[in-house]
Amino acid sequence: MKRATGATPLIAIAAVAVDTETTGLDATKARAVQIGAIGIAHGKVVREPQFNLLIDPGEAIPPEASLVHGITDADVDGAGSFLDAWAQFQEFAGDRILVGHSIGFDLAVLKRECRRAHLPWKKPRSLCVRLLATIANPDLADHSLEMIAAWLRVEIAGRHSALGDAIAAGDIFAALIPELRKRNIRTLGEAEVACLALSHTLDAGHRAGWVEPVSRPQVPAFQPVDPYAYRHRVGSLMSDPPVVVKSTKPTRQVIDLMVERKISSVLVSDRGTPDQPVVEYGIVTERDLMRRISSDAERVFDLPIGSIATRPLISIRAAAFAYRAIGRMDRLKVRHLAVRDDGGMLVGMLSARDLLRLRATAAINLDDTIEHAKDVAELAAAWSMLPGVMRSLLGEEIDPRVVAEIISEELCSLTRRAAVLAEQQMQTEGHGPPPCAYAVLVLGSGGRGESLMAPDQDNAIVFAHGEPDGPEDAWFKNLGAKLADMLDISGVPYCKGGVMAANAAFRGSLDTWKGRVEDWVRRHRPEDLLNVDIVYDLRPVHGDMTLAAQFIEHAYDRGHAEPVFAKLLGEQITAGNPFTLFGGFQLENGRLDLKKHGLFPIVATARTLAIRHGIRERSTRARFEKLIALDIGGERDMKAMLAGHAMLIGLLLAQQTHDIYAGIPVSNRIEINTLTREQQVELKRLIKRLQSAPDLVRDLMFA
């Protein structure tokens, strides 16, 4: 179990709901007579196992206390001491977060008991549901356990027993998670910071002798990673072309071939050629042959190799980073992966031996978890690993643009897995299978491979046939809504601009999308093209890739053929003026919006010129490099844009990873005072240069 950080989503934390019953309500004097606890995982209370232990306080229990919790001296006669109970509780709780109602009181009692028993005390990381409920619903008449439970419709059983109150606190915590998400509080760090802002309530607890119920989130220690696995892509490591044999070939001949070629596996298909969709192939490895020879030595050599092959073939995209291949091999306990292109065609083979060239170590902190997540809680837990890895990669001085590509890979994987889970949910609810072929598309920065740690869930759906508001569209509207909900819960918030397949403007049949493109290219005002441009950054992540390919080909063909369309897109480009009269930055709370004043004009310049000049590249860097190769624009200007793009991404990623761990809602704004003087000077120079981006686009529109 990985220790929670400020970046861990509330839905993904491993926690223990706890409550104590005591000899009184004065935390400076009360003795514990009972500890109750229950686990919380994936945003739900885990009903078994439970922790419920009576404690002999070593003194008489006051009658007034017994009237509340029902525990008398006779009940604790023969019970163990706190020393024994504490050891058992620590074993039950482990490193999990402690959750409770008014948990500051319970922590104070436990701390005092530890000191009395000469036990070491270290304040555990904890959350108070009373404080969280105050944040989620400040208008409640009071924030007692009963009042909060009534609001959230949580049933309480066994009130004023330690276990009963612990279970109630756990159920309340689970019910609070979506309520807190409505207030943009998603992570452990954000919850802690929000609780610490309730100074009046905290002060009252201090005066009563309670322990601080939450702690300020800290940036965890730097975790080294193996940078090689994050620099290399599968396509650069695979064997190409893969060795393929016909399914009918005798096993003896295949063994001879493997010995001759010094290879540990072959692919098997009916055609025996390496030019088909990856689903057409199976695999035979050395281990498969050894097992079969051991069990059937007399017959195996004459059997057709197809009868031994393992299907379906496990594969990975050629464009995937090596860390993904390492994670997939480890998860599935295999040593070979077929390699496919974005269209699903076989292009190569990757073995564990190929990966050894990377010096790959155990420090692969991103694995294949997203690809097999069973629910949104597992998706959220996997997504929360990103900030730590990004921080480590930046520390290894890996190009920030490569780091952004890795974030995009994870975002696309997250969207793909969420789409699979959403489709499963549709069938479970009785909506049936998809009415026709379809593809889920990631748009914007995710599609370009330039995501930061504050991505919107820009996505769309294209399906084979069906009219707007027709039965097919209704099915995909439902799917899009489920997809949006899952991504939001996982940590990728709803797009404020509505760029989501749940909205009618971002889903439709192939014909509907083509009709939209025709409408776009005939517009006469730049303001009529809001959100149109990011569609040109699309990347298909799930479903029928040919549908997506047909759509993007049509969109680029029509956009390129209509110069006025690109011209209108260019007229939307503006960096804004973030400077004061005296040349300093105009800041909001000490921060500057780098996306608005820096990234947007660079990205929009590259995209607009790419559409105009028929460049089909997707990333900003590839678009500028192609423009340079075509001698469109001055090389100096283009390279300055490229360098500026890398610098801005690096500054934003550094700020965002810090903010995530500090419990500060992540944004596209950076704190200027944290930059060195040299960085500030370079940033001013870049943003001043970007003021002329609209002029540059106009000049190069017809170059």
Side-chain angles (χ1 to χ4, degrees):
M1 180 179 65
K2 295 183 179 179
R3 189 184 294 269
T5 70
T8 306
L10 293 174
I11 196 174
I13 65 171
V16 169
V18 61
D19 185 73
T20 61
E21 297 302 331
T22 64
T23 58
L25 297 179
D26 185 344
T28 64
K29 298 177 181 179
R31 302 294 304 276
V33 298
Q34 188 181 36
I35 301 178
I38 195 160
I40 301 171
H42 296 180
K44 298 177 182 178
V45 169
V46 181
R47 301 294 167 177
E48 296 291 341
Q50 300 176 348
F51 184 89
N52 190 20
L53 207 61
L54 289 171
I55 301 168
D56 184 350
E59 62 182 47
I61 301 174
E64 58 270 24
S66 297
L67 283 174
V68 175
H69 50 57
I71 301 171
T72 65
D73 291 336
D75 294 319
V76 298
D77 185 24
S81 67
F82 179 81
L83 182 68
D84 298 327
W86 184 243
Q88 293 179 58
F89 175 71
Q90 285 190 304
E91 184 179 353
F92 180 84
D95 291 330
R96 291 184 284 180
I97 308 299
L98 297 190
V99 172
H101 182 270
S102 299
I103 197 171
F105 171 82
D106 301 284
L107 294 176
V109 171
L110 295 173
K111 177 181 178 181
R112 186 168 179 272
E113 291 282 15
C114 283
R115 296 287 168 81
R116 179 187 288 269
H118 305 291
L119 294 170
W121 166 262
K122 181 182 179 182
K123 179 180 175 295
R125 202 164 188 173
S126 54
L127 288 171
C128 176
V129 296
R130 183 167 68 98
L131 296 180
L132 294 175
T134 302
I135 296 162
N137 188 351
D139 297 326
L140 280 179
D142 64 66
H143 292 89
S144 63
L145 194 70
E146 290 87 353
M147 183 65 73
I148 301 170
W151 164 51
L152 295 171
R153 298 182 180 178
V154 169
E155 186 175 334
I156 301 178
R159 182 71 171 107
H160 294 304
S161 70
L163 181 59
D165 287 354
I167 292 173
D171 286 334
I172 284 171
F173 174 75
L176 279 170
I177 292 174
E179 298 298 327
L180 291 166
R181 194 162 56 245
K182 294 175 185 176
R183 294 181 176 266
N184 203 30
I185 296 172
R186 301 166 178 276
T187 66
L188 175 58
E190 290 168 352
E192 289 170 327
V193 169
C195 287
L196 289 169
L198 300 174
S199 55
H200 179 74
T201 304
L202 295 176
D203 288 344
H206 292 156
R207 290 192 297 271
W210 294 10
V211 167
E212 186 99 317
V214 293
S215 303
R216 188 163 296 281
Q218 301 293 319
V219 176
F222 184 86
Q223 294 291 321
V225 296
D226 183 349
Y228 294 88
Y230 297 93
R231 284 192 175 118
H232 293 78
R233 292 182 184 267
V234 169
S236 67
L237 303 169
M238 69 184 185
S239 300
D240 174 28
V243 177
V244 183
V245 299
K246 281 191 174 184
S247 303
T248 55
K249 198 175 188 71
T251 296
R252 185 187 306 276
Q253 294 181 23
V254 175
I255 294 173
D256 292 341
L257 176 66
M258 293 172 69
V259 171
E260 177 188 342
R261 296 280 191 95
K262 298 180 180 180
I263 56 178
S264 59
S265 67
V266 295
L267 297 182
V268 177
S269 74
D270 292 341
R271 291 193 181 189
T273 57
D275 54 1
Q276 298 298 305
V278 73
V279 294
E280 300 291 329
Y281 299 89
I283 187 172
V284 175
T285 69
E286 288 176 332
R287 293 184 180 185
D288 294 332
L289 292 169
M290 290 171 64
R291 281 193 291 265
R292 195 59 182 264
I293 290 171
S294 175
S295 64
D296 192 13
E298 293 184 2
R299 299 176 54 247
V300 65
F301 295 103
D302 296 321
L303 290 174
I305 195 65
S307 66
I308 299 175
T310 300
R311 300 173 186 271
L313 187 60
I314 301 168
S315 66
I316 193 166
R317 292 172 52 248
F321 284 91
Y323 73 83
R324 177 71 72 189
I326 295 169
R328 189 159 302 176
M329 286 184 181
D330 182 65
R331 172 172 65 90
L332 299 174
K333 307 304 178 190
V334 298
R335 298 177 58 81
H336 302 83
L337 294 173
V339 184
R340 66 183 189 276
D341 63 16
D342 287 341
M345 303 295 286
L346 177 70
V347 293
M349 198 70 191
L350 184 72
S351 70
R353 188 179 303 165
D354 296 323
L355 293 172
L356 287 176
R357 286 183 280 161
L358 295 180
R359 304 188 326 206
T361 69
I364 304 297
N365 292 344
L366 284 179
D367 53 25
D368 205 36
T369 307
I370 286 176
E371 293 291 337
H372 67 106
K374 300 181 182 66
D375 54 36
V376 290
E378 289 189 9
L379 286 177
W383 181 251
S384 71
M385 295 170 62
L386 266 176
V389 177
M390 299 307 103
R391 179 167 167 255
S392 297
L393 293 176
L394 292 172
E396 295 281 358
E397 298 185 348
I398 289 181
D399 187 331
R401 291 171 296 187
V402 174
V403 178
E405 288 180 49
I406 293 170
I407 299 172
S408 297
E409 284 290 315
E410 295 300 303
L411 176 63
C412 289
S413 293
L414 186 77
T415 305
R416 176 169 52 252
R417 187 58 186 166
V420 171
L421 294 175
E423 186 176 322
Q424 291 174 357
Q425 188 176 344
M426 290 283 287
Q427 299 204 42
T428 300
E429 293 177 0
H431 301 290
C436 59
Y438 74 100
V440 175
L441 318 173
V442 169
L443 312 178
S445 59
R448 292 194 307 274
E450 296 166 6
S451 293
L452 302 174
M453 290 307 303
D456 283 331
Q457 49 169 289
D458 297 336
N459 57 66
I461 290 178
V462 55
F463 47 92
H465 58 79
E467 298 298 321
D469 297 322
E472 296 87 357
D473 185 61
W475 195 95
F476 290 111
K477 176 183 179 180
N478 200 344
L479 179 74
K482 293 184 187 302
L483 173 63
D485 290 345
M486 287 185 179
L487 290 173
D488 182 66
I489 295 170
S490 299
V492 182
Y494 300 118
C495 176
K496 293 183 177 66
V499 184
M500 298 177 289
N503 296 327
F506 289 93
R507 71 173 185 276
S509 68
L510 181 59
D511 286 342
T512 297
W513 276 111
K514 287 181 177 180
R516 287 173 183 153
V517 172
E518 293 303 315
D519 182 52
W520 298 342
V521 299
R522 292 190 174 94
R523 296 294 178 100
H524 300 290
R525 300 182 305 169
E527 57 267 31
D528 292 336
L529 296 177
L530 183 66
N531 289 329
V532 164
D533 49 357
I534 66 170
V535 173
Y536 284 81
D537 298 334
L538 75 81
R539 173 180 162 184
V541 297
H542 173 67
D544 188 336
M545 302 298 157
T546 59
L547 278 171
Q550 291 177 61
F551 167 46
I552 195 62
E553 284 297 315
H554 179 81
Y556 266 103
D557 286 343
R558 294 297 296 125
H560 173 59
E562 298 288 345
V564 174
F565 173 63
K567 179 175 178 292
L568 291 175
L569 290 179
E571 289 178 7
Q572 294 185 91
I573 299 174
T574 174
N577 184 5
F579 297 106
T580 66
L581 184 63
F582 300 102
F585 284 122
Q586 294 186 43
L587 305 177
E588 184 177 332
N589 297 321
R591 296 198 174 207
L592 178 69
D593 189 334
L594 279 200
K595 182 176 181 180
K596 175 181 178 181
H597 299 298
L599 279 182
F600 172 73
I602 293 175
V603 169
T605 294
R607 179 172 50 222
T608 301
L609 292 176
I611 293 170
R612 174 65 192 98
H613 295 290
I615 295 170
R616 303 301 171 94
E617 305 293 343
R618 195 167 55 210
S619 75
T620 299
R621 174 163 51 175
R623 285 166 172 168
F624 275 124
E625 288 173 348
K626 188 70 171 181
L627 288 166
I628 292 171
L630 294 174
D631 199 23
I632 298 173
E635 184 173 348
R636 181 180 175 185
D637 288 335
M638 297 298 172
K639 287 188 173 179
M641 288 266 199
L642 279 171
H645 187 237
M647 180 184 75
L648 293 171
I649 289 176
L651 292 176
L652 274 168
L653 286 175
Q655 183 72 64
Q656 290 174 346
T657 52
H658 171 274
D659 289 351
I660 287 171
Y661 284 121
I664 300 171
V666 68
S667 72
N668 293 308
R669 299 176 179 273
I670 66 163
E671 197 171 349
I672 292 295
N673 288 340
T674 63
L675 305 183
T676 65
R677 181 176 178 81
E678 291 75 16
Q679 286 176 318
Q680 291 187 37
V681 169
E682 189 176 359
L683 181 60
K684 283 184 180 179
R685 186 183 299 120
L686 171 64
I687 292 180
K688 286 179 179 177
R689 187 168 195 155
L690 292 177
Q691 304 296 301
S692 61
D695 297 329
L696 176 67
V697 171
R698 278 192 294 271
D699 292 343
L700 299 180
M701 188 64 62
F702 299 99

